[in-house]
Amino acid sequence: MLHTDKHYEAELGALGSEMSRMGELVKRMLDQGRRALATGQVAEAKAVADLDYEVDSLELKIDEMALRLLARRQPVASDLRFITATFKMVTDLERIGDLASHFAERLIELEGGPIPCADSLLVMSDHASAMVTDAMQAYAERDEARAQAVLELDNTVDEAYAQLFPRLVSFMLSEPAHFAAAQRVQSIAKYLERVADHATNLAEMVTFMVNGRDLRHGRIGIPQRSGTT
């Protein structure tokens, strides 16, 4: 929506731009973790922690910008939904950054050794990262259809996580010397499953932002997801 008050319009645009920037940083963290997983390069994993600091700083900045807009502009209708959605989404983005950082920490602890079930982790990582990318693209473009596609992909990540667990149990029984490595892989898989949950939260808020429908406690036509959010 265009406004006659150009300064107000610029403030709204700046808020959206900072959110997109934060989303790009979080996506970079996930991508670096994925590369570290695929290549075994610990340096890639160590670089993730530096980005986490930037993400945390952006969270504070965006919170302040949103609060200032609410207090000074007293927005209504679509502008209010945009600011409110941004306020909620920034928390999910920050948590995704934390999870990406934890992912990297577990890879560092593996010290370049063998990673059991790495193929399944890579699949989960690809799906979770795509969900974050699409949710933030939906936010930038006010694209409800793209947000809906993110919601549908969450079940795919949940299924991949469920299929990984018995494989890890079998590995632990057959390779007791690598029990600690398998535990770290299980932690990474859980982090990725939670990334997907937070990406789902992002997509739900985009839907609210676009049309005012709150999907957080039940989505029409889509099975309820389970797990920690």
Side-chain angles (χ1 to χ4, degrees):
M1 176 185 294
L2 294 177
H3 303 85
T4 55
D5 186 334
K6 296 301 182 182
H7 186 61
Y8 177 38
E9 185 179 333
E11 288 179 315
L12 291 171
L15 181 63
S17 294
E18 289 300 283
M19 271 294 287
S20 294
R21 180 183 164 206
M22 186 175 178
E24 289 168 2
L25 282 173
V26 167
K27 178 65 163 52
R28 198 191 317 170
M29 292 174 73
L30 291 170
D31 288 347
Q32 285 184 323
R34 201 263 187 211
R35 285 196 297 272
L37 173 63
T39 65
Q41 295 180 1
V42 176
E44 286 278 5
K46 289 181 176 177
V48 174
D50 295 333
L51 293 178
D52 192 37
Y53 176 80
E54 292 184 52
V55 168
D56 290 345
S57 298
L58 271 174
E59 180 193 22
L60 297 176
K61 180 179 181 180
I62 292 168
D63 278 349
E64 182 179 348
M65 292 172 71
L67 281 171
R68 188 184 306 119
L69 276 165
L70 288 172
R72 293 175 53 195
R73 297 294 185 175
Q74 298 180 340
V76 296
S78 61
D79 289 345
L80 181 59
R81 292 201 305 272
F82 168 68
I83 296 169
T84 302
T86 300
F87 220 155
K88 292 180 178 293
M89 290 172 69
V90 73
T91 300
D92 282 294
L93 275 180
E94 190 276 333
R95 289 176 180 167
I96 293 171
D98 285 345
L99 291 166
S101 185
H102 297 333
F103 173 0
E105 289 167 2
R106 299 295 82 76
L107 288 176
I108 292 168
E109 290 169 359
L110 286 166
E111 299 178 337
I115 302 176
C117 305
D119 57 334
S120 294
L121 288 183
L122 288 169
V123 169
M124 289 186 69
S125 178
D126 288 342
H127 284 317
S129 182
M131 289 175 70
V132 174
T133 298
D134 287 348
M136 293 309 299
Q137 193 70 29
Y139 169 83
E141 298 177 1
R142 312 294 199 272
D143 188 340
E144 185 180 0
R146 188 183 287 266
Q148 188 77 11
V150 173
L151 302 180
E152 294 167 354
L153 191 55
D154 185 45
N155 287 336
T156 303
V157 177
D158 288 341
E159 289 168 8
Y161 179 67
Q163 292 168 7
L164 172 64
F165 189 74
R167 289 185 63 195
L168 279 177
V169 171
S170 296
F171 179 84
M172 291 176 183
L173 293 174
S174 63
E175 301 285 347
H178 297 296
F179 184 86
Q183 283 186 312
R184 288 179 171 86
V185 166
Q186 196 277 333
S187 293
I188 291 171
K190 185 60 180 176
Y191 299 148
L192 291 171
E193 190 266 342
R194 290 179 63 195
V195 166
D197 284 344
H198 285 294
T200 300
N201 292 345
L202 295 174
E204 288 173 346
M205 291 313 303
V206 170
T207 297
F208 166 74
M209 180 180 73
V210 173
N211 62 26
R213 281 197 304 139
D214 192 335
L215 302 181
R216 288 175 296 172
H217 300 294
R219 301 193 294 275
I220 297 173
I222 301 175
Q224 288 265 32
R225 62 193 169 91
S226 59
T228 303
T229 60

